Amino acid sequence: MPGELSMNDPPHSDPRADLEAKTAFLLSPGSYPGFAGTVELVETHMARVFLTDRYAYKMKKAVRTDYLDFSTLALREHACREELRLNRRLTSEVYLAVVPLSLGSDGRLRLGDHDDEGNGEVVEWLVKMRRLPLETCLTECIAEVSAAELAPLLRHLCDFYRAAQPLAVDPVAYLRGLQQQVEHHRQQLLAPGLGLEQAGIHAVADFLLAVTRREAGLLGQRAVDGRIVEGHGDLRPEHCFLTEPPQVIDCLEFNFALRCVDPLDELGYLALECELLGRRDLGDDILSAYRRACADPAPALLEYFYKAYRALVRAQLAAAHLQDGAIAEPQKWRAKARRYLDAARHYGRRADAHAA
């Protein structure tokens, strides 16, 4: 039957555990009812995404790191259901369902529930999403987008933060968490073989840690004032779509602690990315809109600290690509890591200029 893969079909092994067998099935157009086109595969560190004309199906890899664990089927199912739940906060009619990939009693894979005899076994879980028009993605249209065109997205985000329940976060724990993250990213960037200037990495990390000590009262007060919420966790332009209504996809579903953010930090992250894409004016618009809508009088020092911190995080994530076994374009990722470290130093200097 078209779109089905028998566990006896060479060269694949048992599709209960074999990523490539599942991938081969999901790349077959016949696996998707009513679809006869070409299935496109997009691969990330943590998932494989299968794109049809109207939908995207995201399958998580059986990976485990120090910040996530997808190593078992039960853990991947839980992560898929969390992805559905959390992303529905900032989208409408985009995150549709968690769909099982089942192995029927005849040894063939099916996208959907058990076979007609009820003997099927779920061997994987996927998140089914409606595809959004690529041209509405902020990264695609950022060169031409106006402040007026960006405004609905900013209202959407500010409404989200205003409605979010403040988290009961101990200010000392909040500071400690920032410090631990800085040290983590420092050590990752200092890994042998990355080819990055160690003195520059130390300078950025030392500056950020110095601010957490010098401005402990300012940072801790953010927690005391109820400014810490369960946010998006990875708010970048590529996750923002200027549709009607606006949509913000792909939140960080696998780690609650990394979603516990100060909105000034999270929107500073989005502003930073827009600035690095050549639109400093949009970065200014983002933070100005937030300050007005959420009545946040935080000093500029805090904004620049958060931007420097996020630039360090992004430098480490770029450098992580250099540790892949078969990394393509190593110079691209090394240059990207250096660019973010340069940005971190730039915002560190601006923070110092606004220090009391």
Side-chain angles (χ1 to χ4, degrees), residues 92-103:
S92 55
E93 299 180 352
V94 174
Y95 284 78
L96 303 176
V98 174
V99 180
L101 180 63
S102 298
L103 185 67

Side-chain angles (χ1 to χ4, degrees), residues 90 138 153-154 156-158 160-161 231-241 247-252 258 261-274 286 310 314:
L90 280 163
L138 185 52
L153 172 72
L154 300 183
H156 181 48
L157 287 165
C158 289
F160 169 71
Y161 293 121
H232 180 280
D234 192 20
L235 188 62
R236 291 183 275 148
E238 52 262 51
H239 298 153
C240 298
F241 287 76
Q247 311 280 1
V248 184
I249 67 168
D250 212 13
C251 85
L252 192 153
L258 295 179
V261 294
D262 184 336
L264 184 64
D265 171 12
E266 186 148 271
L267 286 167
Y269 182 16
L270 180 61
L272 163 72
E273 294 294 327
C274 289
I286 289 166
R310 286 293 176 174
R314 291 291 285 160

Side-chain angles (χ1 to χ4, degrees), residues 143-281:
E144 296 83 22
V145 70
S146 68
E149 291 168 328
L150 189 67
L153 172 72
L154 300 183
R155 286 195 296 271
H156 181 48
L157 287 165
C158 289
D159 288 347
F160 169 71
Y161 293 121
R162 280 201 306 268
Q165 182 71 28
L167 297 175
V169 177
D170 177 73
V172 175
Y174 180 61
L175 282 167
R176 187 184 305 118
L178 286 171
Q179 292 164 348
Q180 289 172 344
Q181 285 298 309
V182 170
E183 283 294 357
H184 168 78
H185 295 301
R186 184 211 300 258
Q187 295 306 317
Q188 293 296 309
L189 284 162
L190 292 172
L194 295 184
L196 300 172
E197 182 193 6
Q198 295 197 357
I201 295 165
H202 283 303
V204 170
D206 288 345
F207 160 76
L208 290 169
L209 291 175
V211 173
T212 64
R213 292 189 291 268
R214 188 180 71 228
E215 304 293 343
L218 173 63
L219 286 161
Q221 193 64 36
R222 303 297 287 180
V224 173
D225 290 344
R227 293 284 182 182
I228 311 304
V229 300
E230 185 178 9
H232 180 280
D234 192 20
L235 188 62
R236 291 183 275 148
E238 52 262 51
H239 298 153
C240 298
F241 287 76
L242 306 184
T243 50
E244 178 55 49
Q247 311 280 1
V248 184
I249 67 168
D250 212 13
C251 85
L252 192 153
E253 87 286 351
F254 50 79
N255 189 305
F256 173 72
L258 295 179
R259 288 195 308 275
C260 296
V261 294
D262 184 336
L264 184 64
D265 171 12
E266 186 148 271
L267 286 167
Y269 182 16
L270 180 61
L272 163 72
E273 294 294 327
C274 289
E275 291 167 18
L276 291 178
L277 290 170
R279 293 298 303 270
R280 179 176 176 179
D281 58 320

Side-chain angles (χ1 to χ4, degrees), residues 7 26 42 56 58 71 126 128 156 160 179 289 325 330 342 351:
M7 61 184 293
L26 291 165
V42 177
K58 184 176 181 181
S71 58
L126 296 91
K128 181 181 179 181
H156 181 48
F160 169 71
Q179 292 164 348
D342 287 343

Side-chain angles (χ1 to χ4, degrees), residues 4 56 70 84 97 172 256 268 285:
E4 295 185 342
F70 296 161
L84 192 75
V172 175
F256 173 72
D285 290 339

